[in-house]
Amino acid sequence: MADFLNDRLERIRASGTYRELPGTVTGVDFWSNDYLGFARLDNSKQPFAVARGATGSRLISGDRDEWNNLEKLAAEVHGFPAGLMYNSGYTALLGLLAALLTRTDTIIYDELSHACCRDGIRLGHAKSLRFRHNDLLHLRQRLSSVERTGQVFVLTEGRFSMDGDVAPLADIVALCEEFNAQLIVDEAHSGGLEGDNGEGLVAGLNLQDRVFASVITYGKAFGTHGAIVLGSEDLRAYLVNTSRPFIYTTAMAATQWVEIGLAYKKLGRHHSLQYERLRYNVRYFKEQFNGAILRNTVSANDGPIQTVMVPGNEAVMQVEAACRDANLLVKGIRSPTVPAGSERLRICLHAFNTSDEIEQLVAVLCENLPNFGRS
C-alpha cells in the first residue's frame, strides 16, 4: 500500500545510517544515562535488564525484548502488522507527522484535528489543507485540487475530542483509495472504546489493510499512559530511523510498559461489561433532557464525550463554577480552544458514574443554564 516508505528506507540504508532496536542487551553498563544508579538502586544484585528507569533512549540502553514483544501483541490486538510505542499520545502524533511529511508532500486534515497533529504538520513542512469537519464533499474537493508532487495524506480523528462525534471512516477510506492518498487516523478517544473488544474504530470497521497508520493512545480508555503508532513493518522501521521524538528521548520506564501490558489484559477481561455500563450511562444522561427546554443544547453523539453549548467565555465559566459548587467536576471549554461563539461544557461520562450522580448533574445544568451570562 505504501511502497514509498521502502524507497525512503533504502536511501537510509544506502547512506549507512540505518538504525535497528537492540532488544535486551546484557553487560557492564557504560552507555546509559543512569548516572547515579538510581534506576536500579533497589535491584543492585539483579541483571541490568531489570532497571526500573529506562536509562536512555531505546536505540541505546532503553530497549528490551519484552518491550518489542508488547508492541507485537498490541499490533495483533488492533489488527496491524507492527507498532512502535511512544511516551505519550502527543509525541506519537508529533513524531509520526514530523517524520513522515516532506516538503513535496501534501496533507489534508479535518479542521477539528488535535493540536498535536497541527504541531506535527508544521514540523513536517508539507503543504497542508484543512477540510471542513466530517465534510466528505469538501474532502473530495481538496483531494481533487492537490498538485501531485509527492505523497498525499489525509488525517482525521476516530472519535473527536471536543465534539465527541465519530468520523465517517469507511467513506473517507474510499475517497483516499480513489485519489491514491494515505489515511492516518488518530484514535486517542476511540482506541480501547470502540470495536467488539475495544480495538478501536479502524479495527471495528475492519479497515486495517486500507489505513496507512492508526495512533492508539493509552491515557484515555486504557487508563494508563503512552501511545503506539500502528501500521506496516516499513512504517515502524522508518520511524525508528527518522522520528526525532522517538530517537532523541529517554524511553518509557519499565513501570509504564508493565502498565500498558496490564491495560491490554483488562481490556480482554472487562471491556464488554464496562462498555455496556458506559453506554447505559450515556443513554441515561441524554434521557434526562427529554422534554426539557435545554435538550437542543446537548450534543447529539452517542459517545462518552458530551457537550452542552454555552456561548461566551464568561458564561461557560459561570456554569462550570455552579457545577463545581455542587461537587460536580466538568470542564468549560473557552475560545480560542474552540471558535468564539461555540464555547461549551465538556462532560465525560464513565462506566462508574451512578444514576444519582447523573441526575444531580442534569439538575444543576437545568437550574443554571437558563441564567448563563448573568453577572
Side-chain angles (χ1 to χ4, degrees):
M1 181 174 70
D3 291 339
F4 73 91
L5 281 182
N6 188 55
D7 294 339
R8 293 182 184 181
L9 286 168
E10 283 302 321
R11 288 195 290 272
I12 294 172
R13 292 186 183 98
S15 72
T17 60
Y18 185 79
R19 300 178 173 96
E20 292 182 290
L21 294 174
T24 300
V25 180
T26 59
V28 179
D29 178 15
F30 289 110
W31 63 349
S32 82
N33 298 329
D34 184 23
Y35 300 122
L36 299 178
F38 286 175
R40 70 203 67 197
L41 187 61
D42 296 331
N43 304 288
S44 58
K45 296 182 180 180
Q46 299 298 324
F48 166 69
V50 302
R52 292 180 178 180
T55 78
S57 76
R58 286 186 66 190
L59 284 159
I60 304 177
S61 59
D63 199 40
R64 289 176 59 176
D65 292 340
E66 293 94 325
W67 311 157
N68 289 272
N69 290 337
L70 181 56
E71 287 171 327
K72 291 177 183 177
L73 181 148
E76 290 174 1
V77 168
H78 299 286
F80 281 87
L84 187 69
M85 296 276 189
Y86 283 77
N87 295 43
S88 70
Y90 191 100
T91 54
L93 267 302
L94 193 75
L96 169 66
L97 294 169
L100 198 60
L101 303 177
T102 69
R103 294 184 185 276
T104 60
D105 296 334
T106 300
I107 183 163
I108 306 171
Y109 64 96
D110 189 291
E111 64 181 353
L112 297 188
S113 295
H114 192 269
C116 63
C117 298
R118 301 190 183 209
D119 290 348
I121 289 169
R122 281 195 289 269
L123 288 173
H125 302 297
K127 179 180 179 181
S128 61
L129 299 169
R130 289 184 296 175
F131 69 95
R132 289 187 292 270
H133 177 53
N134 281 348
D135 189 330
L136 295 171
L137 178 59
H138 195 218
L139 176 57
R140 172 178 286 278
Q141 292 170 348
R142 290 298 201 192
L143 286 165
S144 301
S145 68
V146 170
E147 182 179 349
R148 299 278 170 161
T149 57
Q151 299 297 320
V152 178
F153 299 92
V154 172
L155 171 66
T156 187
E157 296 187 18
R159 185 178 288 277
F160 285 83
S161 60
M162 281 298 159
D163 286 37
D165 55 344
V166 173
L169 284 185
D171 293 327
I172 293 175
V173 164
L175 276 176
C176 288
E177 291 175 338
E178 180 180 346
F179 288 93
N180 192 30
Q182 310 289 346
L183 178 60
I184 300 169
V185 183
D186 173 6
E187 293 225 61
H189 293 275
S190 52
L193 189 66
E194 319 288 349
D196 291 340
N197 297 294
E199 306 96 331
L201 274 175
V202 172
L205 295 170
N206 197 30
L207 297 174
Q208 297 97 318
D209 292 341
R210 303 165 68 188
V211 168
F212 176 78
S214 173
V215 180
I216 300 287
T217 68
Y218 299 120
K220 280 75 176 179
F222 282 86
T224 181
H225 191 68
I228 187 168
V229 177
L230 299 161
S232 66
E233 292 282 1
D234 278 351
L235 176 60
R236 185 178 190 273
Y238 183 75
L239 293 176
V240 168
N241 280 271
T242 64
S243 180
R244 294 171 69 87
F246 175 84
I247 297 168
Y248 296 111
T249 193
T250 299
M252 296 188 297
T255 51
Q256 189 171 349
W257 287 98
V258 170
E259 287 297 322
I260 292 171
L262 291 174
Y264 275 106
K265 291 181 179 179
K266 293 176 186 176
L267 196 71
R269 294 170 183 167
H270 305 299
H271 174 268
S272 178
L273 177 59
Q274 294 299 96
Y275 187 57
E276 189 52 44
R277 287 174 174 168
L278 172 62
R279 285 171 57 85
Y280 172 84
N281 282 343
V282 172
R283 291 193 300 268
Y284 192 73
F285 173 79
K286 299 178 84 66
E287 287 169 0
Q288 302 309 298
F289 287 93
N290 287 342
I293 60 173
L294 301 173
R295 64 181 180 273
N296 291 331
T297 68
V298 180
S299 53
N301 76 76
D302 63 350
I305 302 169
Q306 294 291 313
T307 58
V308 178
M309 302 306 293
V310 190
N313 283 348
E314 183 179 352
V316 75
M317 297 313 292
Q318 287 179 11
V319 182
E320 179 194 288
C323 292
R324 294 282 181 93
D325 290 342
N327 201 35
L328 301 167
L329 303 180
V330 301
K331 186 63 181 173
I333 307 298
R334 294 172 285 181
S335 59
T337 300
V338 293
S342 66
E343 294 83 5
R344 78 284 303 270
L345 292 176
R346 185 174 183 269
I347 298 167
C348 293
L349 299 170
H350 311 92
F352 54 78
N353 289 130
T354 67
S355 296
D356 287 345
E357 291 168 343
I358 293 171
E359 290 171 7
Q360 183 186 6
L361 173 60
V362 173
V364 172
L365 294 175
C366 288
E367 178 182 354
N368 287 275
L369 285 172
N371 303 317
F372 69 79
R374 294 182 181 178
S375 58

